[in-house]
Amino acid sequence: MAEESIYVGDHPDNDVTASRRIGMKGIWKRDSYYDQDFAKDGEITDLLEIIHYLKS
């Protein structure tokens, strides 16, 4: 089920917004190239931080 899935990506539209649109959790891996504000379910700087989201 989509609502039980997490998608991690570094592109605000193609990764985070798209995954949220289909019901997944969209986690943004920060990228200094993008400075816009957008809706996301979480934000990380390192992929190891995803463990926090898996435990919650």
Side-chain angles (χ1 to χ4, degrees):
M1 290 191 210
E3 62 272 5
E4 295 176 359
S5 302
I6 295 175
Y7 191 95
V8 179
D10 62 357
H11 192 281
D13 296 322
N14 297 342
D15 297 330
V16 180
T17 301
S19 61
R20 295 184 83 230
R21 192 173 292 132
I22 63 166
M24 298 173 77
K25 299 259 189 274
I27 308 296
W28 184 49
K29 183 174 180 305
R30 284 185 204 107
D31 184 334
S32 60
Y33 184 77
Y34 301 103
D35 60 358
Q36 68 206 50
D37 189 29
F38 59 94
K40 54 192 164 279
D41 297 300
E43 190 173 314
I44 61 174
T45 56
D46 186 279
L47 287 176
L48 290 175
E49 295 174 41
I50 199 64
I51 295 169
H52 165 77
Y53 293 98
L54 296 175
K55 290 182 178 181
S56 60

